[in-house]
Amino acid sequence: MRIGTVHLSFGIGSGILLATVVGAAPAAWAGMDFAWMVVSLGLSVLILSPWLARRQVLAISELHPPPEIVVHAGRTIELPTRVITRYGCKLVMVALSLSTDSQQAAERAPRLLISAMGRRRDGHVLGLFLRAPARGRSPGLRVHMTSSYPFGLVRASRQLESPVQVTALPRLIPERDLDTRRVVRHIVAQGSEALQRHIGRGQGLPVSLREARTGDSVRDLHIRSSLRRGRWTAIERPRLANDCAGVTVCYPTPSRTANSRRSHAAFEAAISVAASIAQRWTSLGLEVELSAGLPTEGPSGHLEHDICPLRTSKNPLTLLHALTDLTLEAPPEARRPQRRAHSAPMALGARIIPVESLLHRPAHTRVAGQGQLTVWADPHGRTILDSGGPLQQGRSRSAQAVPTSKAGHL
């Protein structure tokens, strides 16, 4: 852990006290006892305040947070941290932030007040708070310590660098803002009300009963049959279509403003939408293939995207880690697509296209698949969701506006 230097800053109270001392100095020189007491007391406070404030922030010598931290962007988590002190301290404000977050990190980081902490050989265990403002990987944490003890006249600040592997996963959009279950019902379960109802609950259509096995969900247990048989009985459900789905994050169209702040915000909103869809579809038991699409203009003038496979998994955390490393500045290298064990087309397909404005969405073509979901995301976090059914030309008539979280907080 690298120890930083202590910085002192004087507030308006120090100026008022210094002006009082200077104003009472002539009267004290003339022999007035009260003025002499004001001058001596004021000078003592002005001299001791910087030393006491500096002593407070130097009391904390080491902090030992967990070696690896995983948090969603925009979320605040509590970290059990062991604090080692050299001697007792009174009032210290401690805040954690990512090492890569240099812009106003001390102001955004949640703070914890340490009051009257004495010295202990094994240290003190505190619950420090960490907020990840943006997704990505950070090689460490920055610890901000401030103290204005005593009287708030002088403010002492100090920073420590702690080598910790911090992974900020993409933020997840709430279910109420992006209703992907309704889209799944619309695409997969057309014409079957029973299947729509059970897929909407994250389940398949019940067809038979079987003996319960270890790892079965509580929702799969059939209570009436279990009571009648005298043993736990589970519901056997079919797999959804071909048990696979594809999610493609498209890059913005190449233009003069491709690297603008609006393009970055729209791309971050698209990453959040892709993470949310991948999380929801894996919860349905689907194997999700995550891809990135580089924009190219086809011969007909429509926008097409060259698909670059990134990761295929049934574990949503694996897909979130793959989205964590996806950046707008460095598009992924073209990889050779892996041939699936089954040659059937995908049951579900989703393309998330970031645009600078929902009013001027570029024309696009659909990818092959039985059904496709197309989402346009703008820099403000607003989306338009096209829940088209089987593959068809042009846009579906069921396009609808679905508000999501603000992109400025991603």
Side-chain angles (χ1 to χ4, degrees):
M1 178 175 291
R2 189 173 57 188
I3 301 177
T5 58
V6 179
H7 300 276
L8 299 176
S9 60
F10 296 86
I12 188 174
S14 298
I16 296 175
L17 183 59
L18 180 60
T20 303
V21 171
V22 173
W29 186 263
M32 296 182 62
D33 295 338
F34 180 75
W36 178 253
M37 293 176 58
V38 171
V39 171
S40 59
L41 182 61
L43 286 177
S44 301
V45 172
L46 287 176
I47 294 175
L48 291 178
S49 292
W51 179 81
L52 289 175
R54 184 176 182 272
R55 179 181 171 86
Q56 296 302 304
V57 296
L58 288 177
I60 300 177
S61 59
E62 297 179 10
L63 284 94
H64 299 279
E68 294 184 2
I69 301 170
V70 179
V71 59
H72 284 278
R75 296 291 299 274
T76 300
I77 60 174
E78 184 176 1
L79 302 179
T81 306
R82 189 162 57 91
V83 179
I84 307 298
T85 57
R86 293 192 181 97
Y87 41 80
C89 57
K90 294 292 184 182
L91 297 174
V92 180
M93 299 286 288
V94 179
L96 291 180
S97 67
L98 302 180
S99 298
T100 54
D101 183 24
S102 58
Q103 184 180 4
Q104 297 179 352
E107 286 74 12
R108 284 202 305 263
R111 297 179 179 273
L112 175 69
L113 176 64
I114 298 177
S115 177
M117 177 178 290
R119 185 179 180 183
R120 186 183 298 175
R121 181 173 300 179
D122 56 348
H124 304 266
V125 179
L126 301 178
L128 301 182
F129 295 93
L130 173 67
R131 181 179 183 270
R135 64 181 178 88
R137 301 180 188 273
S138 177
L141 291 177
R142 181 176 292 127
V143 185
H144 307 269
M145 291 177 291
T146 59
S147 178
S148 58
Y149 178 83
F151 310 124
L153 301 177
V154 181
R155 182 173 180 267
S157 60
R158 176 168 163 250
Q159 292 184 1
L160 297 179
E161 295 288 341
S162 179
V164 179
Q165 182 64 38
V166 183
T167 302
L169 303 175
R171 66 174 303 178
L172 297 177
I173 298 176
E175 178 74 21
R176 63 180 183 272
D177 293 336
L178 189 63
D179 192 0
T180 55
R181 295 191 184 276
R182 179 175 47 80
V183 176
V184 172
R185 293 199 303 267
H186 182 78
I187 296 177
V188 182
Q190 293 184 4
S192 175
E193 296 182 359
L195 190 55
Q196 289 181 10
R197 183 171 60 254
H198 288 281
I199 290 178
R201 299 173 184 170
Q203 305 170 356
L205 182 66
V207 292
S208 62
L209 299 176
R210 59 169 174 82
E211 298 291 335
R213 296 189 292 264
T214 303
D216 286 341
S217 174
V218 179
R219 297 181 302 178
D220 294 334
L221 297 179
H222 198 277
I223 304 299
R224 296 177 61 181
S225 299
S226 300
L227 294 176
R228 184 174 62 253
R229 295 183 179 184
R231 58 184 181 274
W232 288 112
T233 304
I235 304 173
E236 186 71 26
R237 305 181 189 277
R239 294 185 176 182
L240 298 179
N242 294 315
D243 201 25
C244 60
V247 177
T248 302
V249 181
C250 300
Y251 281 81
T253 56
S255 61
R256 290 178 298 179
T257 60
N259 294 324
S260 64
R261 182 179 299 179
R262 291 178 60 86
S263 296
H264 280 263
F267 186 73
E268 291 298 325
I271 294 295
S272 296
V273 174
S276 303
I277 294 177
Q279 176 106 342
R280 311 262 166 75
W281 285 3
T282 51
S283 65
L284 295 176
L286 297 173
E287 182 184 16
V288 177
E289 179 182 8
L290 182 63
S291 306
L294 302 179
T296 57
E297 188 173 352
S300 61
H302 288 185
L303 185 65
E304 299 178 356
H305 290 84
D306 297 332
I307 303 302
C308 172
L310 298 176
R311 195 71 61 88
T312 302
S313 175
K314 283 189 175 182
N315 185 1
L317 188 59
T318 303
L319 303 176
L320 293 179
H321 276 288
L323 288 172
T324 300
D325 300 327
L326 208 59
T327 60
L328 186 61
E329 292 82 2
E333 299 179 359
R335 297 182 182 180
R336 193 171 183 179
Q338 300 178 357
R339 182 172 298 178
R340 290 181 171 273
H342 44 77
S343 58
M346 285 189 178
L348 291 176
R351 286 203 304 171
I352 299 93
I353 305 176
V355 292
E356 294 191 0
S357 174
L358 293 178
L359 300 178
H360 304 90
R361 298 189 301 276
H364 71 286
T365 57
R366 294 182 178 272
V367 295
Q370 296 179 3
Q372 179 177 323
L373 166 68
T374 304
V375 181
W376 289 269
D378 72 345
H380 300 287
R382 296 185 294 261
T383 62
I384 283 186
L385 185 143
D386 178 4
S387 55
L391 183 62
Q392 52 186 330
Q393 297 295 332
R395 289 183 53 200
S396 171
R397 293 183 180 178
S398 58
Q400 51 193 327
V402 180
T404 65
S405 302
K406 297 295 183 181
H409 300 287
L410 295 177

